[in-house]
Amino acid sequence: MKLHCEVEVVSRHLPALGLRNRGKGVRAVLSLCQQAPRTQPRPRAGGERGGQHPACLFISTLKDKFGTRYELKENIEQFFTKFVDEGKATVRLKEPPVDICLSKANSSSLKGFLSAMRLAHRGCDIEAPLLTLTPVKTSEFEKFKTKMVITSKKDYPLSKNFPYSLEHLQTSYCGLVRVDMRMLSLKNLRKLDLSHNHIKKLPATIGDLIHLQELNLNDNHLESFSVALCQSTLQKSLRSLDLSKNKIKALPVQFCQLQELTDLKLDDNELIQLPFKMGHLTNLRFLSAARNKLPFLPSEFKNLSLEYLDLFGNIFEQPQVLPVIKLQMPLTLLESSARTVLYNRIPYGSHIIPFHLCQDLDTAKTCVCGRFCLSCFIQGTTTMNLHSVAHTVVLVDNMGGTEAPVVSYFCSLACYVNSCDMLK
């Protein structure tokens, strides 16, 4: 029985000696092997099985193929399995006093291997066949492939799985019409490149790739980016997203919950608006949304702090001279309640109030004064020099312009009057 993963063996004597471990695992092959007895074993009372040839743990690395052997029978002090679903676990041995830290393992294989180790610790039979103590072949370590690049249909694997240890997977020009579900079991994946295919829809389970930092979907047939993905674990992991050359017309409001994004490419889509809470993407540094159908930018766009911005080739409109007035006095009960909930940051959800009210609250506008408004507001348009939000700006047109119209919202007539200088 074997397990491929990264291993770090940490001596518990190090802190007492004022020393520290490296804090980094190495690629290894773990084997449960048959330990040959030194003397003829005695029969056990009660006919207990498995005691004649106790199993041991054998850890081999590329530098040490002969490996290190650890006895298991009545020698495991504790298992730490809180993150076993992420392919991580730690086994604490009594003798020698070490912690065997496992990571980047296939979670199902890891669970089975730990179960077998528990049986070995108790001296019970292990259903899987035990191996002999022999050096591991170099070919075993080839299974630790971390990068795979496929750029043609003929090279695409149909009959075998992707190596579970992959951290970077590129499958471009493969004619994929959907995301291969086998990719979604690659829990160590950090970079996924599905560019130049024919994918029309993304499965929500992409959000289960908890380490995914870069996602390239350039040149596909996507028409949307789902709310489920915006609210998945991608919120904490995703740094770079390329959605250019698709057919996306709008992004959901929840898109701005991907607050770890630093690079965002939206070129050559059919976008008619950007999420009006764009200002929440405080880590965004590179934004490209060239050749879309944007008539204006959202008001919170001015809160961004970018290094590079490209909005060339959009259909930006001239600012309207007269504002759009949708004020209603007195405020409706819905409007007043919504403003109170948002201003006081009262938690809400579909388990508390109806789902359509949650959607109304999620899409509320932000006044220049910082307060919120639902459907009762004044809408005005002004121009903004894009250099105020980005260090490097690509010209928005062939005339050398670097200005773009921005929509602003006002929760009251007083706010509009106080800001009238800005709208001139």
Side-chain angles (χ1 to χ4, degrees):
M1 189 173 190
K2 291 185 177 181
L3 177 70
H4 297 80
C5 62
E6 285 194 359
V7 176
E8 183 185 11
V9 180
V10 181
S11 172
R12 297 199 295 278
H13 286 326
L14 288 180
L17 298 173
L19 302 175
R20 298 176 61 185
N21 60 296
R22 294 189 314 129
K24 185 177 180 180
V26 295
R27 294 292 185 182
V29 177
L30 277 65
S31 309
L32 285 182
C33 298
Q34 190 77 52
Q35 180 177 331
R38 299 177 182 177
T39 60
Q40 187 66 23
R42 298 179 181 178
R44 286 186 167 264
E48 181 182 347
R49 299 180 299 168
Q52 292 185 352
H53 302 285
C56 65
L57 177 64
F58 194 58
I59 302 178
S60 305
T61 64
L62 193 58
K63 292 184 178 180
D64 182 16
K65 299 185 185 67
F66 289 92
T68 305
R69 179 172 63 87
Y70 297 93
E71 294 185 8
L72 295 178
K73 186 178 179 183
E74 299 178 356
N75 192 38
I76 298 178
E77 184 175 316
Q78 192 173 357
F79 288 95
F80 299 90
T81 58
K82 182 178 180 179
F83 301 104
V84 68
D85 289 327
E86 299 178 17
K88 301 177 184 178
T90 297
V91 180
R92 174 165 290 177
L93 299 183
K94 297 176 182 178
E95 290 295 335
V98 296
D99 290 347
I100 301 175
C101 305
L102 314 178
S103 61
K104 296 185 179 180
N106 179 282
S107 59
S108 59
S109 300
L110 177 58
K111 291 176 183 177
F113 197 85
L114 293 175
S115 296
M117 290 183 67
R118 287 189 178 94
L119 293 175
H121 167 64
R122 298 168 187 161
C124 302
D125 279 341
I126 299 174
E127 294 181 2
L130 297 179
L131 306 173
T132 57
L133 287 169
T134 55
V136 175
K137 297 179 181 178
T138 303
S139 59
E140 287 282 344
F141 294 94
E142 294 177 357
K143 298 179 181 180
F144 289 120
K145 195 171 186 179
T146 59
K147 182 177 180 180
M148 177 180 284
V149 177
I150 304 169
T151 56
S152 66
K153 287 184 179 180
K154 64 181 180 64
D155 296 328
Y156 194 82
L158 297 175
S159 58
K160 61 179 182 179
N161 290 328
F162 297 101
Y164 76 90
S165 56
L166 283 180
E167 297 179 4
H168 177 185
L169 174 61
Q170 177 180 347
T171 55
S172 302
Y173 303 99
C174 295
L176 298 177
V177 296
R178 63 179 63 88
V179 177
D180 192 331
M181 300 305 288
R182 293 177 297 171
M183 300 176 184
L184 305 180
S185 64
L186 305 175
K187 299 303 182 182
N188 297 317
L189 210 57
R190 283 166 167 72
K191 183 175 182 180
L192 179 59
D193 187 341
L194 299 172
S195 59
H196 307 290
N197 284 292
H198 308 296
I199 299 171
K200 295 182 179 180
K201 188 176 181 180
L202 298 175
T205 43
I206 284 184
D208 295 335
L209 299 174
I210 59 176
H211 297 297
L212 191 63
Q213 297 179 355
E214 298 182 37
L215 180 57
N216 187 348
L217 296 161
N218 172 45
D219 193 17
N220 277 279
H221 296 164
L222 295 173
E223 296 181 357
S224 64
F225 193 85
S226 71
V227 173
L229 285 176
C230 299
Q231 296 178 334
S232 67
T233 57
L234 295 182
Q235 291 182 359
K236 298 181 179 179
S237 65
L238 195 62
R239 305 286 191 275
S240 176
L241 177 60
D242 189 345
L243 294 173
S244 53
K245 293 186 179 180
N246 280 281
K247 300 178 180 180
I248 301 174
K249 294 183 179 180
L251 295 170
V253 176
Q254 294 82 358
F255 184 85
C256 299
Q257 295 177 14
L258 300 173
Q259 295 189 15
E260 296 301 319
L261 275 179
T262 60
D263 295 65
L264 177 59
K265 296 181 179 180
L266 301 169
D267 305 314
D268 299 290
N269 276 280
E270 301 174 10
L271 289 170
I272 57 175
Q273 63 181 19
L274 293 175
F276 64 85
K277 293 187 178 181
M278 282 289 289
H280 290 190
L281 298 177
T282 55
N283 290 314
L284 196 63
R285 295 296 175 264
F286 297 86
L287 172 60
S288 184
R291 296 172 296 279
N292 280 281
K293 300 178 181 179
L294 298 174
F296 49 77
L297 300 177
S299 59
E300 291 194 21
F301 195 88
K302 59 182 177 291
N303 296 332
L304 295 176
S305 179
L306 305 172
E307 296 179 17
Y308 176 88
L309 174 62
D310 183 0
L311 296 174
F312 177 80
N314 282 282
I315 55 171
F316 289 128
E317 300 175 351
Q318 290 296 321
Q320 297 178 0
V321 177
L322 297 176
V324 177
I325 301 176
K326 294 186 177 181
L327 286 178
Q328 182 179 354
M329 292 297 172
L331 296 178
T332 64
L333 180 59
L334 174 62
E335 181 77 24
S336 180
S337 300
R339 292 187 179 193
T340 301
V341 168
L342 293 170
Y343 181 75
N344 292 286
R345 299 183 180 181
I346 299 174
Y348 63 88
S350 57
H351 62 290
I352 302 175
I353 58 177
F355 179 72
H356 71 276
L357 293 180
C358 294
Q359 289 183 311
D360 290 341
L361 292 170
D362 288 341
T363 56
K365 282 82 174 172
T366 305
C367 177
V368 294
C369 72
R371 293 179 177 270
F372 301 92
C373 42
L374 211 61
S375 56
C376 184
F377 55 82
I378 298 176
Q379 176 183 316
T381 311
T382 184
T383 56
M384 178 182 69
N385 191 316
L386 298 178
H387 279 293
S388 64
V389 296
H391 182 268
T392 302
V393 177
V394 175
L395 303 180
V396 298
D397 53 37
N398 293 322
M399 304 299 292
T402 59
E403 292 188 342
V406 178
V407 170
S408 297
Y409 296 95
F410 307 91
C411 64
S412 65
L413 183 60
C415 281
Y416 173 72
V417 171
N418 292 335
S419 304
C420 61
D421 291 338
M422 181 187 70
L423 291 174
K424 289 181 180 180

